[in-house]
Amino acid sequence: MSFTTGAIRVDDKNHVVLPRIGRIRTHEPTTALLQRVAAGTARILRATVSRHGGRWFVSLTCEVEREPRAPRHPQSVVGVDVGLRSLAVLSTGDTVPNPHPLKKAQRRIARLNRELARRHPGSRGWEETRRRLARAHAHVANIRRDAWHQLTTRLAKTYGTVVVETLNVEGMKQNRRWARAVADAALATLRRQLQYKCLWYGARLVEADRFYPSSKRCAACGVVKDALPLWERTFRCDVCGVVLDRDENAARNLAALVAVVAGSGPETENARGRDVSPASAQAVPEEAGSWQETSP
Ligand SMILES: [Zn+2]
């Protein structure tokens, strides 16, 4: 259900007023939006009411005026690789762990699945378990989304350039391993959030071409391996002997893709997040392939 006309407004710090429905209490504070509306820098365009996993949600579409901002370190570049065991690994060597409550929530899902299998389909108990299972799934999705929001805000506020992998859409259509499917979904979330947050905070988002061998390339010497199976968690270079965590090696390669391009032009130009000309893109090493850029 969506409202585009009538009295939609946020009221004190925990309430939303909707046409026909009236004043409802919200779980999350509405203070930030209230202040913006009062200051005249935000305007509510639409309110959408929906129900997921047994809870009611209201989302407000707003038009917001934003001050031009710059990330804390405009010259810096960070590569982000979606981790298979952690949430993400950065080219700086930082590992961003999976959020703590995730394991507990996943165990609950496993338990409810077993419970559902024991119950008679269509019975009251079965319906009840199914309802709780839907809530548990929604809870896991929320935990993940929150963790991604925290990370992408931090990245866009800190680094001048953020480099991510491009989603392999063709590969996603095939029947794939569960771990890989989760990683693909995570990469899609990462890119979607970075696309607008980089715009907000004045950072530049670069998406590596899907043929860029971020996993198979040695971040130290640049040599590319023929194959690197998914179960291989450590990158060992046969040429220069470097030993790195697989995801960190990939993240460093993503950062390296831009460092070469950025180094060829005036720094101030990159700091302002302007497009890098196609001519300077050719400075990328041969194995880097082509690349595309999403720039604010
Ligand atoms: Zn090497």
Side-chain angles (χ1 to χ4, degrees), residues 110 215 251 277 279 286-287:
S215 300
S277 69
E286 183 77 346
E287 69 270 19

Side-chain angles (χ1 to χ4, degrees), residues 180-219:
R180 201 54 237 175
V182 169
D184 284 342
L187 184 57
T189 306
L190 173 73
R191 289 172 72 242
R192 194 175 53 243
Q193 291 183 3
L194 281 174
Q195 272 163 0
Y196 65 84
K197 286 184 189 181
C198 284
L199 211 65
W200 286 358
Y201 300 111
R204 191 169 62 123
L205 177 64
V206 173
E207 294 170 24
D209 184 272
R210 69 187 179 92
F211 299 110
Y212 181 55
S214 56
S215 300
K216 290 186 236 169
R217 181 185 187 268
C218 171

Side-chain angles (χ1 to χ4, degrees), residues 218-223 235 237-242:
C218 171
C221 74
V223 78
F235 184 95
C237 181
D238 305 326
V239 177
C240 74
V242 79

Side-chain angles (χ1 to χ4, degrees), residues 1-4 8 18-22 24 46-52 56-61:
M1 188 174 19
S2 206
F3 301 100
T4 50
I8 305 164
L18 298 176
R20 299 210 299 273
I21 296 173
I24 43 174
R46 180 188 300 125
T48 305
V49 179
S50 58
R51 194 176 154 88
H52 304 288
W56 288 96
F57 290 85
V58 58
S59 56
L60 302 167
T61 307

Side-chain angles (χ1 to χ4, degrees), residues 58-291:
V58 58
S59 56
L60 302 167
T61 307
C62 305
E63 191 178 71
V64 179
E65 264 176 51
R66 281 181 176 270
E67 295 283 306
R69 284 190 254 187
R72 217 167 302 137
H73 305 289
Q75 314 298 337
S76 62
V77 177
V78 69
V80 189
D81 191 48
V82 172
L84 287 179
R85 270 184 292 181
S86 54
L87 191 71
V89 179
L90 311 184
S91 55
T92 55
D94 282 342
T95 296
V96 185
N98 272 313
H100 189 62
L102 193 66
K103 269 226 165 81
K104 200 180 152 198
Q106 282 168 334
R107 276 200 302 271
R108 183 173 155 79
I109 286 180
R111 191 172 55 73
L112 286 169
N113 268 323
R114 288 193 300 272
E115 193 180 299
L116 189 72
R118 282 198 306 270
R119 296 197 187 271
H120 186 70
S123 70
R124 259 174 72 181
W126 182 80
E127 283 293 350
E128 172 63 21
T129 305
R130 213 172 56 142
R131 204 179 54 76
R132 279 158 62 192
L133 195 56
R135 269 186 94 128
H137 274 294
H139 184 51
V140 161
N142 279 340
I143 293 171
R144 276 195 209 277
R145 197 169 37 240
D146 280 354
W148 280 115
H149 272 303
Q150 277 182 30
L151 176 63
T152 53
T153 298
R154 177 157 71 90
L155 292 172
K157 277 185 166 178
T158 308
Y159 300 94
T161 304
V162 185
V163 193
V164 295
E165 265 184 280
T166 303
L167 204 58
N168 181 357
V169 181
E170 277 308 306
M172 279 179 83
K173 288 178 193 160
Q174 293 157 20
N175 193 14
R176 310 190 66 186
R177 287 185 46 186
W178 173 244
R180 201 54 237 175
V182 169
D184 284 342
L187 184 57
T189 306
L190 173 73
R191 289 172 72 242
R192 194 175 53 243
Q193 291 183 3
L194 281 174
Q195 272 163 0
Y196 65 84
K197 286 184 189 181
C198 284
L199 211 65
W200 286 358
Y201 300 111
R204 191 169 62 123
L205 177 64
V206 173
E207 294 170 24
D209 184 272
R210 69 187 179 92
F211 299 110
Y212 181 55
S214 56
S215 300
K216 290 186 236 169
R217 181 185 187 268
C218 171
C221 74
V223 78
V224 180
K225 280 179 186 270
D226 290 337
L228 183 70
L230 204 62
W231 49 263
E232 189 72 73
R233 300 310 311 158
T234 305
F235 184 95
R236 287 168 214 277
C237 181
D238 305 326
V239 177
C240 74
V242 79
V243 178
L244 270 173
D245 170 74
R246 177 204 178 97
D247 297 331
E248 187 183 339
N249 179 62
R252 282 204 204 180
N253 279 324
L254 288 169
L257 172 66
V258 163
V260 179
V261 177
S264 64
E267 284 184 314
T268 48
E269 196 166 300
N270 293 315
R272 282 204 300 271
R274 220 187 277 164
D275 277 6
V276 177
S277 69
S280 59
Q282 281 160 13
V284 180
E286 183 77 346
E287 69 270 19
S290 58
W291 56 284

